[in-house]
Amino acid sequence: MVKLTSLIALVALPALSVAQFAALQEAGNGLVRKILSGVLRFNDTQVDRVMVTKSGQDPHPYAVDLTDLNWEEVLRSGSETNPFAEKLPDDTVWVITMYGTDQVSKLFMAAFNDVATYNSSESGGSLTPEMRFARMDYGTETILSTRMWLWKVPVMVIATNNMKDLRFFKIGQIAPFHVPMSDLLAHRERWESMPIWKGEFAPGGSREWILVPLGNAWAAYHKYMSKIPSFVLLMVSGMMMNFVVGFGDKPATGNPVISDEERKNQIRARLAVLRSEAAAKEAETAEAPAPTAPVPSVEGSSAVKTGKASKRK
């Protein structure tokens, strides 16, 4: 990814010489680092992660790295540097792994690299000579993944029949470890049991042609966006998110806008009213006389006694 300093140099002084441009870029590089460490309080590790944005694999002696510029020639001839190399035999089997920056991709790539190192025919391993290995960084290269209609990584693609028959193996279909991956590739009948991708966008499909301009357009867009440093994109996305959240929280038209302090005062006043009402009820309850049992009247009791005396006579 081109750094912010490159953009400053390109926009501000496009007519600079090579030496002047390099000096300006280095000065801008130091300025950006000071902003990240002094203003945003990034430590050295975080600054390096922001300034060095491309995260790829180290070069592998038995697995070629595919890019948007070389993938067609590499998959056709197996050569990165010789455009006049002969076409590979029709029985060539390409094992292509597309990876990202997540932890699962790291596990997947570690297993893939071990298979290419210890099991490939080129390294003296037991896999068949027609099997070749390639890798592609999903975060930086876009054309081939778009042509294969892949939007999630990691994934291992086994391509046969001159790249016309594609089989996809994702997490859950293959364990991201050396032994299970090498065992799968060693048994052709096992990986051939995976269905070949068929459909309108698949190789030979009625709409395959759509993916060609789509992949090129997506690569051009990605190339343009990659010139913007990641921390700038993070800041812009944060501003957009704040705008969306603020717009969603906007009060309805006609309702008065109440500040936080006024809202707190209203709550305090309401609580005071509730407390006073509760205190008044408690006072009324305390003042009310306790209920007593009914006392029989004197007349009724004397009448009863008179009746009893007459009966005795």
Side-chain angles (χ1 to χ4, degrees):
M1 180 182 287
V2 180
K3 299 183 179 66
L4 178 61
T5 54
S6 301
L7 292 178
I8 296 173
L10 288 172
V11 174
L13 295 173
L16 289 176
S17 63
V18 175
Q20 291 172 327
F21 180 82
L24 179 60
Q25 183 171 343
E26 287 298 325
N29 185 43
L31 176 61
V32 173
R33 285 184 174 273
K34 287 183 179 179
I35 293 175
L36 293 175
S37 59
V39 179
L40 300 180
R41 303 296 182 184
F42 283 16
N43 57 37
D44 292 339
T45 302
Q46 292 171 327
V47 171
D48 290 337
R49 287 179 181 176
V50 170
M51 299 299 290
V52 183
T53 55
K54 185 173 182 179
S55 58
Q57 295 281 319
D58 294 332
H60 197 288
Y62 308 116
V64 62
D65 290 303
L66 302 178
T67 67
D68 287 342
L69 299 178
N70 73 359
W71 69 271
E72 287 185 286
E73 182 60 31
V74 169
L75 297 180
R76 184 193 70 84
S77 64
S79 174
E80 296 181 80
T81 58
N82 183 11
F84 304 103
E86 295 184 358
K87 179 179 174 296
L88 290 171
D90 293 340
D91 62 348
T92 300
V93 178
W94 275 106
V95 181
I96 307 169
T97 295
M98 299 187 182
Y99 61 91
T101 58
D102 56 284
Q103 293 298 324
V104 179
S105 290
K106 293 179 181 179
L107 286 174
F108 209 89
M109 285 308 302
F112 177 85
N113 291 335
D114 287 344
V115 172
T117 300
Y118 301 108
N119 302 98
S120 65
S121 175
E122 191 176 0
S123 67
S126 58
L127 294 177
T128 56
E130 63 269 14
M131 184 170 287
R132 292 172 172 265
F133 294 83
R135 312 176 300 181
M136 196 195 80
D137 189 342
Y138 181 81
T140 59
E141 316 302 329
T142 58
I143 294 181
L144 184 58
S145 60
T146 304
R147 296 281 291 269
M148 292 183 178
W149 206 245
L150 291 174
W151 302 99
K152 186 177 181 180
V153 291
V155 59
M156 185 174 70
V157 184
I158 299 181
T160 56
N161 191 21
N162 295 317
M163 296 296 298
K164 296 178 182 178
D165 295 342
L166 306 178
R167 295 174 172 88
F168 303 105
F169 294 84
K170 303 178 182 180
I171 292 296
Q173 298 171 324
I174 179 173
F177 301 105
H178 176 201
V179 173
M181 189 176 292
S182 62
D183 188 59
L184 172 68
L185 296 176
H187 295 82
R188 188 181 184 107
E189 70 279 1
R190 290 178 55 185
W191 57 260
E192 279 190 337
S193 64
M194 177 66 69
I196 299 173
W197 178 32
K198 297 293 184 181
E200 295 179 340
F201 295 106
S206 59
R207 297 185 179 180
E208 179 191 7
W209 63 271
I210 297 177
L211 299 183
V212 178
L214 179 62
N216 295 333
W218 183 248
Y221 169 79
H222 187 271
K223 182 179 179 180
Y224 173 78
M225 293 299 295
S226 66
K227 295 180 180 180
I228 304 175
S230 58
F231 73 93
V232 175
L233 294 177
L234 287 173
M235 289 189 295
V236 172
S237 62
M239 293 171 59
M240 293 178 63
M241 182 60 65
N242 289 334
F243 173 78
V244 171
V245 172
F247 182 81
D249 291 340
K250 184 178 179 181
T253 304
N255 293 338
V257 179
I258 302 175
S259 64
D260 293 340
E261 190 64 28
E262 292 177 352
R263 191 180 299 276
K264 291 179 181 179
N265 292 335
Q266 291 179 357
I267 294 174
R268 293 191 189 101
R270 181 57 182 167
L271 290 175
V273 172
L274 293 176
R275 291 193 190 100
S276 62
E277 292 178 354
K281 289 182 179 179
E282 290 179 359
E284 292 178 359
T285 304
E287 293 176 358
T292 57
V295 179
S297 61
V298 178
E299 296 178 354
S301 59
S302 61
V304 172
K305 291 180 180 179
T306 305
K308 290 181 179 180
S310 62
K311 287 182 180 180
R312 288 193 187 102
K313 290 179 180 182

